[in-house]
Amino acid sequence: MADWFSFMNDPAAWVALATLLVMEIVLGIDNLIFISILSNKLPEGQRERARRIGILLALVLRLGLLSLVSFIVQLTEPVFSAFGQDFSWRDIILLVGGLFLVWKATKEIHHTVDVEDSKDNMIGKAATVTFSGVIVQILLLDLVFSVDSIITAVGMTDHVPIMVIAVVGAVTVMLLAANPLSRFIGNNPTIVMLALSFLLMIGMTLIAEGLGFHVPKGYIYAAMAFSGLVEALNMLARRARQRKNAAGAPAAH
């Protein structure tokens, strides 16, 4: 046990912990947006429970993968080649996860734009959202984000305790932010479209990473931050117009 906390006397280890914690929180944003959008499709009484289960599953998966660090490192080793490109298990996981995320985001955008179509699924039967179905979808994406998260952690430090602390800290932040973020998304319909667009972009990024193209995460999050700022200005403008209309309404009588 003493070996676990031996890093506390090393200033460089504290810097690594702070950096990794920030990185894990940023990576967790993608996971949290997906969980929030899916949980908001459930009845009101089931949403918070679905969010908590989804986030706890993310924690369990991350800690479980940390216990298999030596195996996770091997996921980056090529297992086959195609079209002159080497593919590892990590690449395959990112490709499958990216394709699923693109499919899911595209489907949700289509349903958001075409309200009538959202009443039916692809085979024409009434579409229903079940609690177990939402949890399964969250679990699939938790796995993809967890693998990416742990491989990122392994690349930044060799200290498993630092990885564990960073992962637990990031998931705790996700747990605290889940309900406010879900309420914010639910109360602002335009935010739903923006969040789905983020998921679409993240899915394409995962596919690119799986195909061997490195996409600097800073560009992705800078684009998300800029889009969020523009939407925040739009929301302020809408509220200003609403207040102006509300103030002018009595004068019209």
Side-chain angles (χ1 to χ4, degrees):
M1 181 62 70
D3 293 339
W4 267 64
F5 298 99
S6 61
F7 73 91
M8 296 182 67
N9 296 322
D10 184 2
W14 282 98
V15 173
L17 174 59
T19 304
L20 184 56
L21 179 59
V22 172
M23 183 67 71
E24 291 293 329
I25 290 173
V26 171
L27 290 173
I29 292 173
D30 308 340
N31 209 167
L32 189 55
I33 290 174
F34 185 80
I35 291 174
S36 297
I37 290 176
L38 279 182
S39 63
N40 281 352
K41 297 172 72 67
L42 291 169
E44 183 70 35
Q46 297 181 346
R47 293 177 184 176
E48 184 173 354
R49 182 179 167 216
R51 287 192 289 269
R52 292 187 179 278
I53 290 177
I55 294 171
L56 290 176
L57 283 173
L59 175 61
V60 170
L61 281 172
R62 282 163 168 78
L63 293 179
L65 291 174
L66 274 176
S67 67
L68 302 171
V69 167
S70 59
F71 170 74
I72 295 298
V73 172
Q74 294 176 10
L75 290 180
T76 58
E77 297 295 325
V79 292
F80 72 92
S81 298
F83 307 107
Q85 174 72 36
D86 292 331
F87 290 90
S88 64
W89 281 113
R90 174 181 180 269
D91 296 330
I92 296 170
I93 291 171
L94 292 181
L95 277 171
V96 173
L99 288 170
F100 174 74
L101 204 53
V102 168
W103 170 78
K104 185 64 180 176
T106 302
K107 182 180 178 183
E108 293 298 328
I109 288 173
H110 181 66
H111 286 176
T112 303
V113 173
D114 189 349
V115 180
E116 289 300 318
D117 181 74
S118 65
K119 296 178 182 178
D120 300 317
N121 61 18
M122 294 181 179
I123 58 176
K125 296 181 180 179
T128 57
V129 179
T130 64
F131 185 85
S132 58
V134 167
I135 295 300
V136 168
Q137 292 182 65
I138 290 174
L139 178 61
L140 289 174
L141 262 296
D142 275 349
L143 177 60
V144 175
F145 287 122
S146 294
V147 169
D148 200 29
S149 169
I150 298 307
I151 289 177
T152 299
V154 170
M156 293 184 66
T157 180
D158 295 327
H159 297 282
V160 174
I162 290 179
M163 299 181 201
V164 172
I165 294 171
V167 165
V168 173
V171 173
T172 300
V173 171
M174 288 172 61
L175 201 57
L176 294 174
N179 287 340
L181 178 62
S182 296
R183 284 196 298 269
F184 182 71
I185 290 176
N187 294 334
N188 297 276
T190 55
I191 293 294
V192 175
M193 187 61 71
L194 185 64
L196 289 172
S197 300
F198 288 164
L199 291 179
L200 191 60
M201 180 171 62
I202 293 164
M204 292 301 299
T205 302
L206 292 178
I207 292 173
E209 293 274 358
L211 293 174
F213 298 97
H214 176 64
V215 181
K217 294 293 193 299
Y219 293 152
I220 303 300
Y221 293 116
M224 292 172 64
F226 179 75
S227 300
L229 176 61
V230 171
E231 181 57 29
L233 294 174
N234 283 331
M235 292 172 61
L236 290 174
R238 283 195 297 269
R239 290 177 182 176
R241 286 195 297 270
Q242 290 172 357
R243 286 196 298 268
K244 182 178 179 180
N245 292 338
H253 294 288

